[in-house]
Each structure stands twice: as structure tokens, then as C-alpha cells.
Amino acid sequence: MGMSQSYGAADRGESLATLDRALELGITFWDTSDVYGDGHNEELVGESLRGRRDAVQLATKFSLSRDGEGRMRIDGSPENVRARCEASLRRLGVDTIDLYYQHRVDPTVPVEDTVGAMAELVQAGKVRYLGLSEASAESVRRAAAVHPITALQSEWSLWTRDLETSGVAAAAREHGIGLVPFSPLGRGFLTGAITSPDDFADDDFRKDHPRFRGEAFAANLRLVDAVRSMAEDKGVTAGQLALAWVMAQGADVVPIPGTKRVAYLEENAAAGDVELTADDLARLEQIAPPGVAEGGRYPNAGYSYGDSPAPGSDR
Ligand SMILES: NC(=O)c1ccc[n+]([C@@H]2O[C@H](COP(=O)([O-])OP(=O)(O)OC[C@H]3O[C@@H](n4cnc5c(N)ncnc54)[C@H](OP(=O)(O)O)[C@@H]3O)[C@@H](O)[C@H]2O)c1
């Protein structure tokens, strides 16, 4: 995502070099969406994968788009599912998407209708597996009753533990659905690299996030200091400790940290070798219990943990 939007400018050459290096390091579960850079990210990933498509498990998403004024729209209608999938296949330059997510549940379309249309894509061979992102527990259960759901992608990290406290992770596990934590580095904050709201470029969307503003920022910095101090004791970086914690949440948890730089990628990949003892996990639980972060995850409430109307409801 960061190669195409959200976290300031990206250098195209460095982005492509980062993707090359990911393959060399054996990082083969790649995540994109049609909304990242309004198609830019899928084209970039497609370019990188030309001639070596089978090297990765390729995940993309649909249902979000920006209107003319840059506001986010959600469309889970069956006709949009079909149209968006064709457009993603074309931009990625592939015949099949390995994992196709509904990026956000549409509050106006029964999730059964959306997942029903996604299931037809599986039958047509355009998609292999289905996923949801930021869905509520109820949406997860209703979707899984229509077609097997393979993955649930939602924010999960040391400072965002709503997935545990909301019962969504438990609902996913009831159905054998794998968990894919996004923003596992707390959008970069948990690495300790961001020390002031002034660190953000003008086009960086974290400027508008409640957690990165004013007093909340200062309070959250104390959490990062504690993570960094523990990381020093263990001889790892704060980011590696944050990633190791997410990976320690279960064998069914596969985080997808994002970066547009080779050096960060290499540091993050090495987190796979960090082992946490029961004492380490207890210390992290004290440092970062559920609800520890000051401020909401998004500027706009209601953007996540999506529910939809009952089947058969009018749109
Ligand atoms: N389903 C959804 O709604 C949703 C929402 C958000 C994200 N995602 C997916 O999840 C992926 C990861 O999430 P994310 O990118 O939001 O958050 P993240 O992985 O928590 O953090 C990414 C940020 O951390 C910085 N960073 C990465 N490694 C670092 C290191 N070792 N040291 C210092 N800084 C480091 C990156 O900097 P640079 O940019 O400078 O490399 C970037 O600003 C995205 O790429 C996207 O595919 C999905």
C-alpha cells in the first residue's frame, strides 16, 4: 500500500527493488488492493511479477473506491464484484487471483449477496480463495455460511487489539479462517522511527489519524518507549519485537508488514527469527494491554467491523 499511497512519496525503483528482495528472502504472500493508488499498486505488483507469477500467493481486494472528491465509497454489489475482479486481473496481468478479499463490508448490501458473487468467481477459475477485511463477527459467520472463507484481514498489533476483544478473531477461528493482521507495525509507529507529528510529509494520511495527533501522540510515544526498552534488552529492534508478538498469537496468524524500502524489509524479515518466551509475552501484555492506545484507529468512525442488512433486504 505504501508504495502507492498513504505514507508519503515512494521511489518507483526502490519499490521494485524491495519487491525483488522480498522474493529473494522467501516473502511470497503479497498483498495489494484495487484502491491502493487507484490501481497504481496492482500495476506495480503486476510489473514486478511479469514472468514469475507463480512465485507468490497473490492477494488483492475490491469494494472500496474514491469518488471525484477523494471520499471513500463502498460497493459490495454483485455487479461491482464482477467488474472489479476483471479490472484487477487486467492490471495485475494474471489469469487467477489467489486470495480475493472484500475490502470492507457494504452496509447497504447483504454480505451473502457479495460473497455469493465472489463464489461465482471461484467457480469460474478467476479466484482461488475468498477473504474479508475488517468484517464484524456476525459478517464473518454469515459469509462463511455461503462459501468457505480462507482469510480475515484486519488491523492487529500491540496497540490495536480490538480483533481479540471484539470476538472477531474467535468467530474467524470457529470457521478455521486464517488471520492476516494488517498494520502490524502500528503504521510504523511501533518501530520508534516516528517521534513527532512533524515527521509526516504533507501528503501522509497519518496526519489526520487521532492516534498521531496532539496529546494522543505524546501519550502513545510512552508506549513505544517501553517497547523499545524491552527490545534493547532482547537485542532486537522495536519493530522486530512488535512483529514477533503478532506472530506469537497463533500458527494461524500471518502478518503483512508494509514497506517501500529494502533496508526496512530486511529488518522486518529477520523478525521471523525472534523467539519470545512466556516471560517476554507477559511483559508485553503489561506494556500493551488491550485499549492501551490513545485515540481512534481512523479519523472516520464506522469505517470498520462492518455489518450488512439481512438477506433479501432492499438496497
Ligand atoms: N485491509 C485493510 O484495510 C488494510 C489497511 C491498511 C493496510 N493494509 C495492508 O497491510 C499492509 C501493511 O500495513 P501498513 O503499511 O498500513 O502498516 P505497517 O506495516 O504497520 O507500517 C508501515 C509503515 O512502517 C514503516 N516501516 C516499515 N518497516 C519499518 C522499519 N523496519 N523501521 C521503520 N519504519 C518501518 C513504513 O515506512 P516506509 O513507508 O518508509 O517503508 C510504513 O510507513 C499494507 O501494505 C496493506 O497491504 C490493509
Side-chain angles (χ1 to χ4, degrees):
M1 180 181 76
M3 293 175 181
S4 302
Q5 65 168 49
S6 299
Y7 302 141
D11 178 89
R12 185 177 181 79
E14 177 77 4
S15 291
L16 289 168
T18 305
L19 293 169
D20 286 346
R21 187 73 181 122
L23 282 189
E24 282 170 12
L25 291 169
I27 297 170
T28 56
F29 182 38
W30 287 17
D31 189 78
T32 181
S33 167
D34 61 358
V35 78
Y36 297 161
D38 300 323
H40 173 273
N41 199 256
E42 287 187 331
E43 284 173 4
L44 186 79
V45 167
E47 181 181 332
S48 172
L49 287 180
R50 209 163 294 147
R52 55 184 188 183
R53 188 261 171 270
D54 291 340
V56 301
Q57 297 293 316
L58 186 55
T60 192
K61 322 183 191 80
F62 77 96
S63 88
L64 291 179
S65 61
R66 290 180 185 83
D67 68 12
E69 274 138 40
R71 282 183 303 244
M72 232 25 129
R73 296 273 174 252
I74 306 177
D75 185 348
S77 64
E79 49 278 23
N80 195 47
V81 173
R82 291 186 280 272
R84 290 286 167 168
C85 181
E86 289 304 326
S88 287
L89 289 168
R90 198 173 54 246
R91 277 190 295 265
L92 290 163
V94 302
D95 298 324
T96 311
I97 293 161
D98 294 308
L99 175 57
Y100 200 40
Y101 292 100
Q102 182 178 14
H103 206 151
R104 287 292 182 279
V105 173
D106 185 336
T108 68
V109 178
V111 72
E112 289 82 355
D113 294 1
T114 310
V115 173
M118 293 167 75
E120 287 170 16
L121 297 175
V122 177
Q123 276 132 33
K126 294 176 194 246
V127 163
R128 290 204 173 90
Y129 299 100
L130 303 185
L132 301 172
S133 176
E134 289 284 335
S136 69
E138 179 64 14
S139 294
V140 167
R141 292 192 183 99
R142 284 170 54 187
V146 175
H147 188 277
I149 301 295
T150 298
L152 174 75
Q153 180 177 137
S154 292
E155 187 169 356
W156 197 8
S157 69
L158 275 174
W159 79 341
T160 302
R161 300 187 54 183
D162 317 44
L163 203 63
E164 299 160 70
T165 54
S166 61
V168 176
R173 283 171 163 154
E174 273 169 32
H175 294 278
I177 299 170
L179 297 167
V180 180
F182 75 71
S183 303
L185 292 165
R187 302 186 183 272
F189 195 64
L190 295 168
T191 67
I194 303 161
T195 54
S196 156
D198 301 332
D199 288 349
F200 299 130
D202 285 343
D203 58 350
D204 193 313
F205 89 149
R206 287 171 292 194
K207 267 182 168 342
D208 297 325
H209 278 235
R211 287 185 181 180
F212 291 99
R213 292 169 73 94
E215 285 174 20
F217 189 102
N220 290 327
L221 217 43
R222 289 196 283 278
L223 161 69
V224 177
D225 286 343
V227 173
R228 197 164 30 195
S229 161
M230 177 170 166
E232 274 167 22
D233 292 348
K234 281 193 68 71
V236 300
T237 67
Q240 287 170 337
L241 183 59
L243 288 177
W245 178 85
V246 177
M247 287 187 279
Q249 300 311 304
D252 56 349
V253 179
V254 182
I256 46 166
T259 181
K260 51 192 181 238
R261 300 169 208 276
V262 172
Y264 287 173
L265 175 83
E266 290 175 344
E267 180 189 327
N268 299 344
D273 298 327
V274 177
E275 288 187 16
L276 298 182
T277 64
D279 284 349
D280 291 335
L281 289 169
R283 185 169 165 193
L284 282 166
E285 192 66 32
Q286 278 193 332
I287 291 172
V292 71
E294 283 290 328
R297 299 194 290 134
Y298 281 101
N300 39 359
Y303 194 55
S304 289
Y305 287 83
D307 278 318
S308 66
S313 306
D314 287 341
R315 287 191 204 153

